[in-house]
Amino acid sequence: MIELKYYLLISAALFSLGVFGVLTRRNAVNVLMGVELILNSANLNLVAFSRYSSSGIDGQMFAVFVIVVAAAEVAVALAIVLTLYRVLNTVNLDRADVLKR
Amino acid sequence: MSVTDVVFILTAVVTVGSAVVVVVSRSLIYSVFSLLFTFFGVAVLYVFLGADFLAGAQVLIYVGGILVLLLFGVMLTHRLYNLNLTTERFQPIAGTLIAAAVFVSISLAAFKTKWKLVGDRELEPTTQQIGEAFLSSYLLPFEIASVLLLVALIGAAMLVRRRTDV
Amino acid sequence: MQVEAYAGEEMVLNMGPQHPSTHGVLRLELETDGEIVRNVIPHIGYLHRCFEKHAEKVDYPGVIPFCDRMDYIASMNNSLGYALAVEKLMDLEVNERVKTLRVLMAELNRIASHLLSVGTYAMDIGSFTPFLHCFREREKILDLFEWLCGARLLYNYNWVGGVSHDIPDGFEAKTREFLGQFEPVIAELDKLLSYNKIFLERTANVGIISEEQALSHNVTGPNLRGSGIAWDLRREEPYCGYDTYDFEVPVGLGEYGPLGSCWDRYYVRVREMEQSLGLIRQALDRLPEGDVQEHIPRRVRPAKNEVYDRTETPRGELGYYVVSDGGLIPFRVKVKSPCFTVLSLLPAIARGGMVADIIAIIGSIDIVMGEIDR
Amino acid sequence: MEYLREVLTRQVGGYDQLPEVLQIFLPMLLACLLCLGLVALIPLIAIWAERKVSAHMQDRLGPMRVGGWHGWAQTIADGVKLLLKEDIIPAQADRLLFKLAPLVVFAGGFAAFVVLPFGESFIVSDLNIGVLYIAAISSLGVVGIIMAGWASNNKYALFGGMRAAAQIVSYEIPTVLAILTVVIPVGSLSMQEIVKAQSGSVFNWFIFQPVTFLAFWIVFLGTLAEVNRTPFDIPEAESELVAGYHTEYSGMRFAFFFLAEYANMFLVSALATTLFLGGWHGPGFLPGPVWFILKAMALVFVQMWLRWTLPRLRVDQLMHVSWKVLLPIAFVLVLAAGTLALI
Amino acid sequence: MNLGNLDSLTFFYPELILLGGILLVVISDIALKGLRNRVNPLLTLAALLLALFCTLQTDHGSAMTLFEGMLALDNFALFFKVFLLVAGILVLLGSLHSEELASVHRGEFHALLLAVTLGMLLMANSAHLVMLYLSLELVSLTSYIMVGYLRSDRLSNEASMKYILFGAVSTGAMLYGFSLLYGMTGSLDLFAIRDALLAQEVVGFNQVTLLLVVVLTTAGFGFKTAAVPFHFWCPDVYTGAPTPVTAFLSVAPKAAGFAILVRFFLSGLSQPAGEQWRFISGVDWPLVLIVVSVLTMTLGNIAALTQNNLKRMLAYSSIAHAGYILMGAVLLTGSGLKAMLVYLFVYLFMNLGAFFVVTVIFNSEKTFELQDYNGMFRRSPFLAIAMSIFLLSLIGIPPFAGFLGKLYIFGAVIDQGLYWFAVVGALNAAVAAFYYMRIMKHMILENDDRPPTPLRISTLNRALLILLLVPNIVLIVFWAPIDRWTANSITLFGGL
Amino acid sequence: MKQASEILQTLQEQFADKIIKSSQECIQPFAVVPPGAVAEICAFLKNDPGMAFDTLMCLSGVDYKGSKKEPERLEVVYHLFSMRHRHKIVLKVELPREDPALPTVEGVWAVANWHEREAYDMYGIHFDGHSDLRRILCPDDWVDYPLRKDYVQPESYRGMPAAAAKQFAQRAQEGEDLGTDPFSAG
Amino acid sequence: MKRYFKDIFQSIWTVLQGMKITGNHLFTRSCTLQYPSVKWELPERSRMRLFNKIEDCIGCGQCVRACPVDCIYMTTEKRAKQEPPLFAADGTPIKLRVTQFDIDMSLCCYCNLCTYPCPTHCLVMTPEYEFAVQSKQDFLYRFAKEEPQAPPKPAPTPRPAAAR
């Protein structure tokens, strides 16, 4: 029987890696990958807690919704990235700088 | 150390290791493909946690949907036939420090916090429970999620359409 | 059109010279935007064998084997055009049997050529079985030719002033037998391919050649008739006594989409096979007696003159411009190839379509690179 | 797997004296080997059948020499040839991904065999999310295909890979929806449960019930598209894209793609058999697994039949079929199935 | 009272109407090719009005939860529902004659507007972490699309991309916070969470973890309310988005964000004790929020000082206003909450008004630059005066409604004895006055050489401006109903 | 349908000074026009409703070097046909062998584009105003114009032998031991 | 809407029709010829491999002139008066000794033009079609029986143009 804290450790690692990705990457798609890592870590937490900390399956339900929302979010994000790419020909966040005057 | 432990450790190493590749690799394509292993690793962890339906959904949606979308994003926003899909890095030191701080605080929390723990439960298939929950206590979220998907569909379709008229 | 939705990354795609569906060694430089083709630049010349230079080096009969090799799918028709041009240059009249045999062979060859065109077109669109069914039939025609003159593909049959062989015994019956069993094959092809919904969807809406484009680009043959213009040299400028035969000129009707689409061109070919069947029957029925070689001159030496003569090959009007200097070898032979002119139209009709449409268009205009590059 | 373990315990003396690790792993290993054997064997037969079917539909004979009777060993000979062939990796290719891609594609097809119910007890693992598992694991193939297309550094391959991915992703939706029409009345995602729900007379098979009859065709077409068969074979349309995503592959790696393609053909047929054709049920004179394989092979034959009859669609038409034809019908069917279930 | 799924539907009419509206708009956009440009706005307006009507009709009596505890229906939620629907209607009307949106097809815009309103209504009464997350995502996702609505416009795209990336990260962080909270309490229901936290003494390391939860969740709510330090996106997005969308974002999702913040922290992390709330021992989350509030208003105001682009300036100013509003929320008193509601209510009219003037001027001038507003008074006195009134109101100068908001807020703060907090707020208001006055100076005092050509304003826009002006002027006189309404509205389910 | 003589007559009337020569004796009557006027005349022939030459059947170059009966020159021959009236005419333009140039008729008949490219490729005739005058059959960097009578085949092209290798028979004649007598052997 | 269903119906119907046809062909006789166990039966006029019966060749060179691709090479020398008279099979006297008669089959275009002018019909095309060899130079068929004496300097290649 694996203890709860090991799952939390993995999740913490994923979360901080996600944060690292978000902070250090300048490519929109890459940032999205970081976000996916964060969402996965949260999901892992939810499922782990659902197993160890609650009697129901609330955590799993939450995770299902998170997965669905993540899919929708990525779809919209990529649509925006594509549109931006058409206008700018880059997805590098630093080059999307008209707004920074 | 039992067989389960070994498998668990392996999964954990693969999951975290590929996640490291995701955020460290300079090649976008490698990032995306190693994300595949992260997603799979998480799905296996779900299986460990007895969430079989969720594991299926994770693979189905993350690998079959999100990963493919990301791949499309990578390929459509670069010169398609250019192998050097690299990405510039930005403030690696600050990023490392912040991420390390986050990791330390959360893992401390993970180890030191007194989580609410209920007694050990028998692993049982959750598919049916999830289905029932969808139609009872989680009916409203279920419906709202569908509205959300509808909006995302409308929005994404609108954004990628090229012409201004329909 | 919703085709715009398939736009994506812009890139240059090099299709050919070695590519399964460019019908020989054609190279297309496609500027694509995702699945959409923004521009097509054809590069030809990969099969250039200096036909015209060769023709200035050998005597008049010696040009005929080279003519055969231009459009190797329809050799009978190619050499026929040259023979007729030189006969015109020499003011030579052949006898009726030769004329009838020439019509017979030209029409058999037309069927063989159209079978290949239709079959490979099916394969381009992704259907393999009709291709082999067509080839099965084509082989039967080639058997006949081999029986007739000993060669299956490059016949050297039409000579200046006559033909190389008279038909062997039993040829007539065998041909009739072929005609009888071939007719249902066309009906089967229609069911299997022509009216198949997927095939219609793929072809009936793409590669539209308008009437003006067709005329300005001198598009001829089935491609022209696919655009709804009933123009056939066999009827308009009869040679070999075609005016004495009874046949129709099928044209595209635009039944399943705009007029002049790939499907129309394809279907004109199918209908032309039926017409050729009728022509062959009539030719067999009349077949007058005579010596097929009686008018062959010992030495082909036309007087100084020049002629531009054109015939209707399966691919359209094949023109020979022969200039004679009064010597034994032609001074200049220039070939106006029907595929050459129609290929020059490709960029105009392919622009804005999808990559798959390029394949459909190339297949439908039925080019033979040997004739374009000469 | 439980069955296998039982058999081992019963038949092999001293099996229960083995260490626990081995007791768990041996049946796993054995099951894996069996699966691998199936994955290797079925494509061999299917490839030979495809050659023969296509040949006879085109009034040909097909391979006749190798092995004697109707060239039955031709595929084996070809396989040997492919294995011995030089393994070429294009100079500009991404070597790691280029090598990984065939394995990923193959693994996707192979892993799905685990839940196929060949017979009442002939199933490696009767997961209670069996159907979901198949849908999920088959998406692995998409990733592999894109990987192959991209790693080849060839425009045609990339084009093919992208097309394949778009196609598989969009056809997965109506397919999964249509599968739901079976899952709703059965009330389980387990493959065995679904088969058991069709026991009894032949008319208990889902194909003989109105809603699921239509659903069967949607599943059939959708899976046909997912395994890239004509008329949905645009990712490897040889007249457009040479060979699609495996243009640059040769030798053993190509063999992997080839095996995976035919294994997938069988897989989707087996899935349809399980869902609609009563799985291993059948008149008693033949054992269950035989019935199962026969039915699946019959569906494979229909796939071949279609391939050698039809031209292929264009990309936009392909999407049209999925989004505007199959999807609405699938939605209606799911609604109908739900209503029926409520009644 | 907890209602099941079917029983809840009776109290769910506004949301159902909006849902029906979305579907109708989508269908009419596909089906009515010729008429759709006329029908869609009417359909949208009808849906919003009908929803507003139903909301007003809803029973104000006992608070209850709907849908098996997913939603909490109380007066607090009802206030926000009314508020958000009014905002929706005003923005819809304001968008009709906007030149920015004239170039694009607007079928989806109306559907998205309805969807975002629906999401916000749900945000206002979510009482379950899943609903909290879903409604927040519904609003976010829709706003991302709305911000990027001008597809061919580079600014709009950039803004949208920044918005979605920041949004995704912050909601991800919030989600992680939620998951930790779930681990500590074993429940996703806000009230159950509170009970669980009360049941177990939050001691030892659990305090740190709870602080972590507060910080992470504040990221999510702070993102919606554009509070420092989660405000990065705000100026860029407000500048890039189409102006009607900016106006909408600066008011409605912000208000909904406050609603969700108040509900999460008050219902979930503190305990009602008479007039005063008591936060659950362990972590001093009000202090966190006070710091956030001070930072927010100071940073917003200081940054606004140097801006020359009016949209950007208003963006920073709206950050500052978020700080004022937050002042009320963190006091843990009824009067603080009430002050916050009053402030929000007047903020709706003054901020929308200011943005609307910008929209109208952009329609003919195609510019957001401050210099180009020179001589506006001579060209259209009406506009200049209206703008001045909105700006004065935003500063909080007495005869206008903004004063009322500031009065309540500072009153509530001083009541609690947080004098330094009030002083910071007042100082900020003084700074704000400076840049608001600058706009007025440009419009009224400065002239350029060009001959003053009169600005054309469409009748609809003029009427709407007057409609927005009226509350700004009269509220100060008729403050009693507002007072009563807000006083009534501070009752949260499971508290006070 | 007009006889060639009528067409030549009309041309003579329209472009009196620009028709250098016309001949009706040969099989296909032709008119020789100066290089400068060819585009103009072609445009007239296409657009005049009585003429309506809507197709350019063929455009050929001819090199008359080495002819026993003709003076040395390059010739461009236009074979025109009217689909509407079903009559035809031949136009000829005589050009010097050095630096031949004449205006393009691409704007009149689109098909002339490729025909002219071929004439350029084979004879080096420059068509002024042509939109895309590149070599068409030969590679872009081919030297010299192959169909000129004095063309000498280059030894190699880009390092590849271009001239045919020595024939086996010649090598055999020189004493090399090649070839078989397959019939006597078998 | 009507069109939508009509399209679906048409697709299904035409697909079924096609399947019926291919299904029928499954049971028709195949037209495959099992080469090489079954050989292709060639008609007598088949133009495959060239053969020269050198005994009958009078060395007139007509075939050399007729060949458009110059694949026949012939050198002759006058037979001395004192040599015994030779006659071809049809009685034509042979006055020239053919010292070299080479046909380069790798160049031959099978046009059959060389066989027509042959006065003694000694040059014929045979229906023999399996004549693959290992090396291209083996396609040089040398028909002259006597070894040609290597001339002191290479003789000029006979070309048709030069012949006239």
Side-chain angles (χ1 to χ4, degrees), chain E residues 216-239:
Chain E
L216 288 172
T217 46
T218 312
F221 304 141
F223 164 74
K224 276 267 86 109
T225 55
V228 175
F230 312 105
H231 71 290
F232 291 111
W233 57 276
C234 184
D236 286 352
V237 170
Y238 282 13
T239 318

Side-chain angles (χ1 to χ4, degrees), chain F residues 46 104 134 151 167 170:
Chain F
K46 163 136 194 231
T104 174
R134 286 177 294 128
Y151 174 74
Q167 305 277 339
Q170 267 170 290

Side-chain angles (χ1 to χ4, degrees), chain C residues 43 49 58 87 107 131 146 195 223 230 255 273 291 303 331 334 351:
Chain C
H43 294 275
R49 294 148 303 171
V58 294
E87 280 165 17
E107 293 308 320
F131 166 72
E146 190 178 29
Y195 292 114
N223 298 328
E255 296 158 79
M273 288 198 272
D291 182 1
F331 190 74
K334 152 91 189 182
R351 225 168 268 149

Side-chain angles (χ1 to χ4, degrees), chain C residues 2 6 11-12 14-15 19-21 34-35 124-126 128-129 132-133 136 196 201-202 206 357 359, chain D residues 57-60 155-156 159 163 231 238-240 242 308-317 319 324:
Chain C
Q2 344 168 315
Y6 298 90
M11 69 176 186
V12 176
N14 191 18
M15 193 182 244
H19 188 277
S21 63
E35 285 281 348
D124 288 344
I125 302 297
F128 204 86
T129 303
L132 281 166
H133 286 183
R136 186 193 60 210
N196 184 291
E201 287 292 319
R202 280 294 304 277
V206 297
D357 291 341
I359 313 296
Chain D
M57 280 181 181
Q58 295 159 353
D59 296 352
R60 299 184 285 126
K155 289 176 199 170
Y156 287 115
F159 239 106
R163 277 182 176 188
E238 73 273 4
S239 62
E240 295 161 33
V242 189
W308 298 108
T309 305
L310 295 180
R312 78 173 66 82
L313 289 160
R314 202 171 56 200
V315 184
D316 57 331
Q317 291 158 354
M319 294 297 166
K324 298 197 178 155

Side-chain angles (χ1 to χ4, degrees), chain G residues 18-147:
Chain G
M19 285 176 78
K20 192 180 136 204
I21 289 174
T22 41
N24 282 340
H25 273 279
L26 210 50
F27 305 106
T28 51
R29 239 173 67 83
S30 302
C31 57
T32 311
L33 192 75
Q34 287 286 308
Y35 180 86
S37 50
V38 183
K39 293 254 175 153
W40 191 246
E41 216 172 284
L42 287 179
E44 55 176 332
R45 286 177 188 177
S46 278
R47 305 184 333 220
M48 300 295 162
R49 194 182 206 172
L50 269 172
F51 174 69
N52 186 29
K53 198 175 169 210
I54 196 71
E55 291 80 13
D56 286 352
C57 184
I58 59 168
C60 64
Q62 298 231 43
C63 50
V64 178
R65 280 192 288 280
C67 180
V69 290
D70 302 345
C71 74
I72 308 178
Y73 302 84
M74 180 195 274
T75 51
T76 51
E77 57 186 38
K78 263 224 165 86
R79 298 183 71 224
K81 286 266 168 60
Q82 61 273 30
E83 281 182 68
L86 280 175
F87 298 96
D90 63 347
T92 322
I94 298 173
K95 297 196 171 131
L96 295 168
R97 176 182 296 125
V98 182
T99 53
Q100 184 195 17
F101 193 99
D102 294 353
I103 296 179
D104 192 341
M105 276 313 271
S106 66
L107 294 182
C108 176
C109 73
Y110 306 94
C111 64
N112 212 9
L113 282 177
C114 53
T115 65
Y116 291 102
C118 185
T120 58
H121 300 287
C122 67
L123 187 62
V124 288
M125 292 196 111
T126 61
E128 166 74 18
Y129 59 92
E130 291 166 311
F131 49 101
V133 288
Q134 295 286 336
S135 149
K136 205 175 155 193
Q137 64 194 34
D138 288 343
F139 270 130
L140 184 70
Y141 292 173
R142 319 209 62 191
F143 290 101
K145 288 290 178 210
E146 292 121 303
E147 275 299 306

